């Protein structure tokens, strides 16, 4: 142990930063870190618009239910080129993107993605299908897994498991191949790999392990090399939507707040209900525009923002397939940059919740044991049933008076008769579920009451979350609420939002609502500095030793070393939860090896959802990652070879990912630094 600090410190602050005796850290003999006294955040010189002369930005919107890509050339940033329209799909569904569905062979080789994966899986013989691996809506697994690692597994519909990182990398590799081919078709010059900046979207509520997981999957898929991490950006979905919404013109939005309310229902001037007609018009415009697949965006901010004053606030609610993310932004004039006012919030309240409610309804009617057996023995038929429901779900409207028909696969009807010894019709009659009827044409007839019952729990969660957010002091005075994401197309959600929130703020829906995040991700890749200030979702810090003060520190934290009394496990905060951090602001700490010749320093990182913590052993504090500093071999006779060698680490918390760099202060050489959230 070193007996003297590198720098003059206050008596209550120790230079020693040691792991907790209870944490599964490397032995104390392996390293000792020396911290500088706490620094205020420092902002370096403003970064240039582009860190690298990229020729093209390619964004991948990796969604729970559907995914897609778009790109823009840096020489023509006002033009965003959408992916080629996909073949196949469901009747009545605009195939702007592809289903997030992946099919692997029994040998775990990639076979197909998207509509092709669904169609090929559908065509397999039932017995053969049990050996193939079909994955859909698998992104939700990353959100729900609390101990995510590179070894986390995903279960295919057939029950077989494979590493999640391989499933994600297969999907990203598919997009890489298709996107690069399309970019090269439109590029007049030969495109090198390092000329492409990639952007991948993730939910804002995802924690650092999940973001790192997507980055590792991108490395594995060959999008970029780990040696050039700056070539890949992780974009937060509601943030990307917010960036695009800045560009909107009045004719590109549907303003629900302008619609009059009659007996709690919104009506057009002719008395008709607006939702179907407005989206029909919007989709018709999109259909015409999609022939070129190129969207033009405003050079500055769009007309919609002319009504906003500096300091005005707005909420973006990204209602996707798996999650709902809420972000609160303030637009800064005249530069048009964005400032986040409150930490991102949300939860698993996406459209998948409606699908799960439908599955629960089937379990109630036919028995959970039967549904599980059917999924295992007839996996392809189960996928067909979920697709049929998905297509009909999109047509559900609040004012609908007639039932929705869901076709049951013949194998479902036949399998149930063999399994239970009675017909599907008998099961429905015995269930006493009057809101679901049976059609002699082999269909389930879901009454409007049934559809309402399926939608309401998920929609209620979304509305409740928005209402709770709007009641916070930091969010008072919100003028606009933007509904984006695939679920925002649902008239059921639109009506609920209008009824609950229409009197509080203007509710805006972009016409191309399903592509809003994708377009915003491209704009983010063109200018990553557009979001100038973000809020920290968690408190982050490391465990350190401070001088022990009798009466202030508990006795069980006392450590006597070389005649001095130290208090262990004190949390040295880097940043606090909901702290405002500007882009480019940094936190600096200095560390020194425990012995000369040491080649590696490892510092454990702790986090908490609360700022009211003192020790790393407090409830709610957990080890969430580690910083690794790989030290170059010190030259004999140099200061760097002495015991007091100083390594200065610089951490950035203002980007979408936490980043760390380090320098050997004696030689001014860069030290290889990495921050890992996946190896816990």
């Amino acid at each position: 142990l070193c007996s003297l600090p590198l720098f003059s410190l206050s008596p209550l602050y120790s230079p020693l930063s040691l792991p907790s005796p209870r944490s599964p850290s490397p032995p104390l003999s392996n390293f000792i870190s020396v911290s500088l006294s706490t620094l205020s955040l420092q902002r370096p010189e403003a970064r240039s618009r582009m860190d690298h002369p990229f020729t093209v930005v390619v964004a991948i919107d990796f969604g729970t239910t559907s995914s897609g890509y778009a790109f823009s050339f840096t020489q023509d940033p006002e033009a965003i080129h959408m992916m080629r329209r996909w073949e196949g799909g469901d009747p009545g569904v605009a195939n702007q993107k592809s289903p997030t569905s992946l099919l692997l062979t029994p040998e775990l080789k990639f076979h197909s993605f998207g509509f092709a994966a669904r169609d090929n899986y559908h065509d397999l013989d039932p017995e053969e299908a049990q050996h193939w691996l079909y994955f859909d809506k698998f992104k939700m697994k990353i959100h729900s897994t609390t101990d995510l690692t590179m070894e986390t597994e995903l279960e295919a519909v057939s029950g077989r498991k494979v590493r999640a990182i391989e499933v994600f990398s297969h999907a990203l590799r598919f997009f890489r191949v298709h996107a690069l081919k399309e970019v090269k078709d439109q590029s007049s010059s030969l495109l090198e790999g390092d000329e492409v900046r990639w952007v991948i979207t993730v939910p804002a509520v995802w924690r650092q392990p999940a973001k790192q997981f997507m980055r590792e999957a991108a490395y594995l898929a060959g999008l970029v090399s780990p040696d050039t991490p700056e070539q890949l950006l992780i974009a937060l979905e509601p943030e990307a939507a917010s960036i695009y919404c800045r560009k909107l013109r009045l004719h590109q939005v549907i303003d629900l707040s302008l619609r009059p309310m009659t007996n709690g229902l919104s009506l057009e001037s002719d008395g008709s209900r607006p939702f179907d007609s407005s989206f029909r018009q919007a989709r018709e415009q999109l259909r015409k525009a999609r022939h070129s697949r190129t969207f033009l965006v405003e050079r500055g901010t769009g007309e919609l923002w002319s009504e906003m004053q500096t300091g005005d606030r707005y909420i973006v609610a990204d209602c996707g397939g798996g999650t709902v993310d809420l972000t609160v932004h303030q637009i800064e004039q005249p530069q048009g940059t964005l400032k986040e006012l409150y930490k991102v919030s949300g939860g698993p309240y996406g459209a998948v919740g409606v699908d799960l409610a439908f599955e629960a309804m089937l379990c109630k009617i036919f028995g959970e044991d039967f549904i599980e057996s059917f999924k295992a023995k007839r996996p392809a038929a189960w996928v067909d049933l979920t697709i049929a429901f998905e297509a009909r779900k999109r047509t559900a409207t609040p004012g609908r008076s007639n039932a929705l028909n869901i076709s049951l696969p013949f194998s479902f009807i036949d399998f149930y008769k063999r399994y239970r010894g009675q017909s599907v019709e008998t099961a429905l009659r015995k269930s006493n579920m009057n809101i679901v009827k049976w059609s002699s044409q082999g269909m389930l007839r879901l009454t409007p009451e049934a559809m309402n019952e399926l939608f309401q729990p998920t929609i209620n969660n979304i509305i409740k979350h928005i209402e709770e957010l709007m009641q916070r002091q930091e969010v008072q005075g919100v003028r606009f609420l933007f509904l984006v994401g695939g679920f925002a197309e649902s008239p059921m959600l639109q009506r609920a939002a209008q009824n609950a929130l229409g009197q509080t703020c203007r509710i805006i829906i972009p016409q191309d609502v399903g592509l809003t995040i994708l377009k915003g991700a491209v704009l983010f890749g063109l200018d990553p500095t557009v979001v100038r200030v973000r809020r920290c979702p968690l408190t982050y810090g490391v465990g350190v030793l401070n001088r022990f003060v009798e009466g202030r520190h508990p006795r069980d934290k006392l450590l006597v070393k070389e005649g001095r009394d130290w208090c262990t496990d004190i949390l040295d905060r880097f940043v606090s939860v909901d702290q405002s951090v500007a882009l480019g602001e940094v936190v600096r700490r200095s560390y020194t090896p425990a012995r000369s010749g040491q080649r590696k320093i490892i510092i454990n990182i702790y986090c908490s959802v609360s700022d009211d913590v003192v020790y790393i052993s407090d409830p709610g504090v957990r080890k969430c990652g580690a910083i690794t500093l790989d030290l170059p071999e010190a030259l004999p006779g140099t200061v760097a070879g002495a015991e007091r060698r100083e390594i200065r680490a610089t951490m950035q918390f203002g980007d979408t990912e936490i980043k760390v760099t380090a320098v050997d202060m004696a030689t001014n050489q860069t030290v290889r630094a990495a921050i890992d959230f996946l190896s816990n």
Side-chain angles (χ1 to χ4, degrees), residues 44-324:
E45 294 299 313
R47 298 187 300 181
S48 61
R49 175 183 166 118
M50 300 294 282
D51 299 323
H52 186 286
F54 299 106
T55 303
V56 63
V57 169
V58 181
I60 299 173
D61 180 10
F62 201 111
T64 300
T65 53
S66 60
S67 301
Y69 62 85
F71 58 93
S72 179
F73 294 97
T74 54
Q75 295 300 312
D76 186 17
E78 279 77 40
I80 299 176
H81 308 275
M82 306 306 296
M83 59 195 277
R84 289 194 181 102
R85 187 167 181 176
W86 295 88
E87 299 300 323
D90 310 314
V93 178
N95 301 321
Q96 301 166 341
K97 296 189 286 187
S98 170
T100 310
S101 304
L102 176 74
L103 183 62
L104 302 182
T105 67
E107 296 74 37
L108 305 182
K109 302 293 185 185
F110 175 83
H111 183 273
S112 47
F113 184 87
F115 291 113
R118 280 183 10 179
D119 294 344
N120 279 292
Y121 192 59
H122 168 84
D123 292 340
L124 288 172
D125 176 86
E127 293 302 320
E128 192 182 3
Q130 293 185 50
H131 302 289
W132 287 64
L133 291 87
Y134 178 82
F135 300 90
D136 67 346
K137 301 181 177 66
F138 51 86
K139 181 181 167 187
M140 280 298 289
K141 174 77 172 180
I142 304 306
H143 176 76
S144 59
T145 301
T146 54
D147 54 347
L148 183 65
T149 71
M150 296 288 281
E151 302 304 317
T152 298
E153 290 185 320
L154 289 178
E155 187 173 324
V157 173
S158 60
R160 288 186 64 186
K161 292 183 178 180
V162 68
R163 286 202 313 157
I165 195 78
E166 293 175 16
V167 173
F168 278 80
S169 64
H170 278 308
L172 290 173
R173 192 177 298 113
F174 170 85
F175 281 118
R176 178 179 68 85
V177 170
H178 281 260
L180 287 181
K181 183 179 186 306
E182 202 167 334
V183 167
K184 287 172 181 175
D185 287 347
Q186 296 202 33
S187 176
S188 55
S189 59
L190 192 64
L191 199 68
E192 298 295 331
D194 62 355
E195 293 181 70
V196 181
R197 164 170 266 170
W198 294 89
V199 182
I200 299 177
T201 65
V202 301
V205 291
W206 273 16
R207 299 284 168 84
Q208 292 300 323
K211 294 176 186 176
Q212 184 184 336
F213 180 90
M214 289 300 287
R215 179 170 284 277
E216 296 292 344
Y219 292 155
L220 193 59
L223 268 68
V224 301
S225 164
D227 297 327
T228 55
E230 70 282 352
Q231 210 180 328
L232 169 66
L233 296 177
I234 299 295
L236 309 182
E237 289 165 358
E239 199 172 271
S242 181
I243 292 168
Y244 176 67
C245 287
R246 291 159 54 250
K247 304 286 187 179
L248 288 172
R249 307 193 65 170
L250 292 174
H251 72 274
Q252 295 175 313
V253 303
I254 297 163
D255 190 343
L256 295 185
S257 311
L258 296 180
R259 307 189 185 283
M261 304 287 287
T262 305
N263 295 328
L265 297 177
S266 171
L267 300 177
E268 296 282 24
S269 57
D270 61 359
S272 63
R273 291 182 171 82
F275 296 105
D276 290 338
S277 61
S278 60
F279 264 91
R280 214 173 291 124
Q281 293 166 11
R283 280 185 172 152
E284 180 61 20
Q285 289 182 21
L286 281 174
R287 188 187 62 77
K288 292 174 181 175
R290 211 172 286 126
H291 284 299
S292 65
R293 303 190 327 280
T294 299
F295 288 82
L296 299 178
V297 295
E298 295 287 304
R299 186 177 292 271
T301 52
E303 295 169 322
L304 192 62
W305 301 100
S306 61
E307 303 176 37
M308 296 191 77
Q309 307 295 318
T310 298
D312 278 350
R313 305 159 178 208
Y314 65 94
I315 294 175
V316 175
D318 169 25
C319 307
T323 57
V324 168

Side-chain angles (χ1 to χ4, degrees), residues 264-266 273-276 395-401 448-449 451-452 455-456 459 490-496 498-499:
L265 297 177
S266 171
R273 291 182 171 82
F275 296 105
D276 290 338
T395 67
T397 57
R400 189 183 182 100
S401 57
E449 293 79 14
M451 290 306 290
N452 195 54
F455 273 87
Q456 281 315 305
I459 288 178
S490 167
M492 304 284 279
L493 177 57
Q494 291 174 22
R495 172 64 54 78
Q498 187 185 25
N499 287 344

Side-chain angles (χ1 to χ4, degrees), residues 18-22 543-546 548 553-554 556-560 566-571 614-617:
L18 297 175
S20 163
R22 287 172 297 284
V544 299
L545 296 178
N546 271 11
F548 188 87
H553 298 133
D556 64 340
K557 298 293 183 187
L558 174 63
L559 172 69
V560 180
W566 300 99
C567 180
T568 64
D569 292 351
I570 289 182
L571 180 72
V614 178
Y615 305 101
I616 60 174
S617 55

Side-chain angles (χ1 to χ4, degrees), residues 2 5-7 15-17 32-36 589-592 644:
C2 53
L6 269 178
F7 301 94
L16 304 178
S17 174
I32 182 99
S33 51
V34 177
S35 295
L36 280 168
R589 294 286 190 275
S590 286
Y591 301 98
T592 192
R644 308 276 26 97

Side-chain angles (χ1 to χ4, degrees), residues 355-376:
D355 303 339
L356 294 175
F358 176 64
E359 183 177 334
M361 181 180 281
L362 292 179
C363 289
K364 199 170 178 182
I365 297 170
F366 302 106
E368 187 175 346
D369 58 329
F370 165 74
I371 294 297
E372 290 304 315
S373 179
F374 180 70
K375 286 162 72 173

